[in-house]
Amino acid sequence: MKSIFNRGLIAVVLFSFVCASSISAQVKITLNPEKGKQYEFRYEINQQMTMLMQDQEMPMENKMLFVLEMTVADKTTESITLSYLFKRMDFSFSNPMMGEMSYSTDQEAPTSEFALALAVSAKLLIGKSFQATMTPDGEVIKINGVQEWLANSSSGPMTEQLLQQFSDESLTNMSRQNFNYYPKEAVKVGDTWNCDLNLNIGMSAVNSVCTLKSVSDKTAVIDLVSQVKIDSLPMAETDLAGTQTGTIIVDLETGIPVSQDIMIKVEGKLSTPDQDINMKMTTQGKSTTKEL
């Protein structure tokens, strides 16, 4: 009986040692995909706003979906070049003044005048590509391919507004928000580091902290917390601030983010020449990347 007890005690001690070792083990998380691999990248934004104007609440909701094909076009020890091809875009808008409107580039024909204007602009991007070159730690070095779109695009307010969302700067931000969270050094569960991960919606983030929450054989789970502020909006001064929280799941072998789920909550005041408007806004950004 004593021998059985001793063997059981040894097993418990060994199990505890293995668990403690796995918890304290360090991992190095970097971008390391295989050249030539292709992925489907889906990026969704759901934005809900409430504006108080003349003692009346005005609820609004905007939804957007972008589907891109991502190819590892080149890879060296110093950099990785990812080529993105636009495959699909969905838009949905709802507010008391204009009602509900939606459009998908997969539709045969637009169902409204607004959708028709949006279709002309959005379809300019379907089949277009751009390349993002970045370091293994996720810092974007350069963006190529965008200027060709701008040079060959027809003019118009809707087109100009949409293309502005996909300028060099905007696409750099999009690439950074997908990859610029890698720690500079190897980390273990519980470690924290400064990171920079924003939704591309005119916001700036400060005091962004990432924490390695857990590690398995294949993935690492990273938590994100930061303070955010809306810098500016067209034709209005802003005093809007809040928090950004999220979870990122990363494939340890490739460094590719399997999924991201980011929530931003801000509130405050908009000031126009005519009035001040109290505002609350919640923005949820989700992305997934899977190998094709």
Side-chain angles (χ1 to χ4, degrees):
M1 179 65 70
K2 184 176 180 180
S3 176
I4 294 174
F5 174 78
N6 287 340
R7 286 199 296 269
L9 181 61
I10 292 171
V12 170
V13 171
L14 288 174
F15 177 76
S16 300
F17 176 78
V18 170
C19 290
S21 298
S22 64
I23 292 173
S24 61
Q26 290 189 323
V27 292
K28 188 72 171 80
I29 309 173
T30 60
L31 185 60
N32 186 37
E34 184 180 337
K35 182 178 178 180
K37 289 288 187 180
Q38 291 186 314
Y39 300 84
E40 180 190 75
F41 173 64
R42 296 174 66 91
Y43 179 43
E44 299 177 68
I45 297 177
N46 185 349
Q47 188 175 73
Q48 296 177 324
M49 294 178 284
T50 301
M51 304 177 76
L52 183 62
M53 301 176 63
Q54 298 177 350
D55 296 326
Q56 288 189 332
E57 284 193 349
M58 296 183 60
M60 293 174 278
E61 184 173 24
N62 302 321
K63 295 181 180 180
M64 290 171 280
L65 167 68
F66 305 100
V67 181
L68 300 94
E69 183 180 286
M70 185 180 80
T71 302
V72 185
D74 195 18
K75 180 183 177 183
T76 67
T77 55
E78 291 82 21
S79 66
I80 298 96
T81 298
L82 302 176
S83 181
Y84 291 91
L85 177 69
F86 284 92
K87 303 288 288 184
R88 174 183 169 186
M89 297 183 186
D90 291 0
F91 303 90
S92 175
F93 308 100
S94 174
N95 64 69
M97 292 181 292
M98 300 182 66
E100 296 184 3
M101 299 163 290
S102 62
Y103 173 70
S104 171
T105 54
D106 281 357
Q107 284 180 221
E108 289 288 334
T111 56
S112 68
E113 187 174 331
F114 175 85
L116 177 60
L118 187 57
V120 171
S121 304
K123 287 202 170 183
L124 288 173
L125 297 179
I126 300 302
K128 300 293 193 304
S129 63
F130 72 95
Q131 294 76 45
T133 301
M134 60 193 71
T135 63
D137 62 3
E139 185 60 41
V140 179
I141 300 171
K142 63 180 178 180
I143 296 289
N144 289 329
V146 182
Q147 296 306 316
E148 287 80 353
W149 306 349
L150 301 178
N152 298 312
S153 299
S154 58
S155 61
M158 185 74 76
T159 300
E160 292 176 5
Q161 185 176 3
L162 186 63
L163 290 177
Q164 186 177 5
Q165 300 300 313
F166 297 99
S167 63
D168 281 9
E169 182 180 2
S170 295
L171 292 173
T172 296
N173 288 338
M174 186 191 80
S175 299
R176 291 181 74 246
Q177 75 192 32
N178 289 323
F179 296 102
N180 196 28
Y181 49 78
Y182 301 111
K184 302 300 182 184
E185 307 293 338
V187 290
K188 63 181 183 299
V189 172
D191 281 352
T192 63
W193 63 95
N194 294 329
C195 54
D196 186 7
L197 188 67
N198 294 26
L199 285 176
N200 189 16
I201 51 176
M203 293 184 181
S204 61
V206 295
N207 301 324
S208 296
V209 176
C210 282
T211 303
L212 183 60
K213 184 178 180 180
S214 64
V215 175
S216 69
D217 291 340
K218 294 183 178 181
T219 60
V221 179
I222 298 170
D223 280 350
L224 166 75
V225 177
S226 58
Q227 304 298 311
V228 298
K229 181 180 180 181
I230 295 184
D231 300 315
S232 63
L233 290 174
M235 302 177 66
E237 295 183 1
T238 64
D239 184 15
L240 294 163
T243 59
Q244 176 180 234
T245 58
T247 300
I248 306 142
I249 301 176
V250 187
D251 183 284
L252 283 174
E253 182 179 357
T254 65
I256 296 292
V258 178
S259 68
Q260 296 185 40
D261 194 341
I262 309 295
M263 179 74 74
I264 296 177
K265 294 183 177 182
V266 299
E267 60 181 286
K269 184 180 293 184
L270 299 178
S271 298
T272 69
D274 299 325
Q275 61 181 322
D276 290 337
I277 303 170
N278 291 321
M279 180 177 175
K280 292 182 178 180
M281 181 169 66
T282 299
T283 303
Q284 185 172 23
K286 292 185 176 183
S287 69
T288 58
T289 306
K290 65 178 183 179
E291 187 176 338
L292 295 174

